Amino acid sequence: MGVPHLDSGPMRAEEFFAFTATRPDDEKWELIEGEPVLNASASFLHQIIASNLIVSLGRFARETDAIWAVAPGIGVRISPLSIPVPDVLVRPQTATGAECDDMIIAFEILSPSTADNDLRWKRKAYASLPSLPQYVVIAHDALEVVSFDRANGFAERFETAESELDLPVIGACMNLREIYRGTGLL
């Protein structure tokens, strides 16, 4: 019979989706340069911040009859070997499916295990998507938000507790107090 041979090459998108289809729904997997990565369970503060983003942006979308929608947990096909999953994203309202390549804004909420990846690899990967004009990174343990905008070459723009997060592509501004409501950090 011999020893079975396993292909140790990088995993491709189709293999990744077949693999994740066999995994429990509560697991969050990403494909990063051909390697499947299981993310740690999100903290309570992380989930509160994600909920605040979804509720605030969802309310704004309804009030303005937006042509975009806000959603969590959708993979973004950067390449055949990379499918990160932003914590929250904004994409065209007519879009469907468990993955996309047309997001308008990506939000990542930092955690100790993902901070380096979110600030380095994802910033570069998301900047490579022509459809993405803005990437926002939110600290889960401090009132700190940094925005990267295509309009200024994805240079960092830091927001403070007194400022508002400008989301010009959807015509919205978010007070950081909205983002951090219920976290105990205000």
Side-chain angles (χ1 to χ4, degrees):
M1 174 169 161
V3 176
H5 172 16
L6 296 176
D7 181 6
S8 60
M11 184 179 278
R12 301 188 67 73
E14 292 69 27
E15 297 169 287
F16 175 72
F17 287 120
F19 166 73
T20 57
T22 68
R23 306 302 309 152
D25 288 343
D26 62 341
E27 292 182 357
K28 180 182 174 187
W29 288 88
E30 297 180 288
L31 185 63
I32 307 297
E33 296 180 348
E35 293 295 322
V37 176
L38 175 62
N39 289 310
S41 295
S43 71
F44 182 69
L45 289 179
H46 182 282
Q47 298 292 42
I48 293 296
I49 293 167
S51 291
N52 288 344
L53 286 170
I54 292 166
V55 168
S56 293
L57 290 170
R59 184 179 328 120
F60 181 76
R62 284 188 304 281
E63 290 170 357
T64 61
D65 290 324
I67 58 171
W68 51 266
V70 60
I74 296 180
V76 178
R77 191 179 292 234
I78 301 294
S79 74
L81 300 177
S82 293
I83 304 172
V85 180
D87 292 311
V88 176
L89 61 78
V90 173
R91 69 187 292 206
Q93 189 176 42
T94 57
T96 60
E99 68 167 301
C100 73
D101 63 0
D102 60 354
M103 72 177 163
I104 301 166
I105 304 173
F107 295 90
E108 292 286 357
I109 303 162
L110 294 183
S111 68
S113 64
T114 66
D116 189 56
N117 191 37
D118 292 345
L119 290 169
R120 295 177 192 271
W121 186 86
K122 285 188 180 181
R123 176 183 174 187
K124 183 178 175 184
Y126 290 155
S128 73
L129 280 178
S131 70
L132 180 71
Q134 191 167 13
Y135 174 46
V136 179
V137 179
I138 301 169
H140 84 287
D141 57 355
L143 286 164
E144 296 176 3
V145 174
V146 63
S147 177
F148 304 95
D149 299 300
R150 184 169 305 281
N152 64 3
F154 279 92
E156 297 175 335
R157 186 181 74 230
F158 290 93
E159 309 297 342
T160 64
E162 295 78 36
S163 66
E164 289 193 332
L165 173 62
D166 188 21
L167 304 169
V169 69
I170 61 171
C173 284
M174 289 185 74
N175 185 298
L176 267 58
R177 296 189 178 285
E178 280 183 72
I179 295 170
Y180 286 98
R181 178 176 283 128
T183 64
L185 296 170
L186 295 172

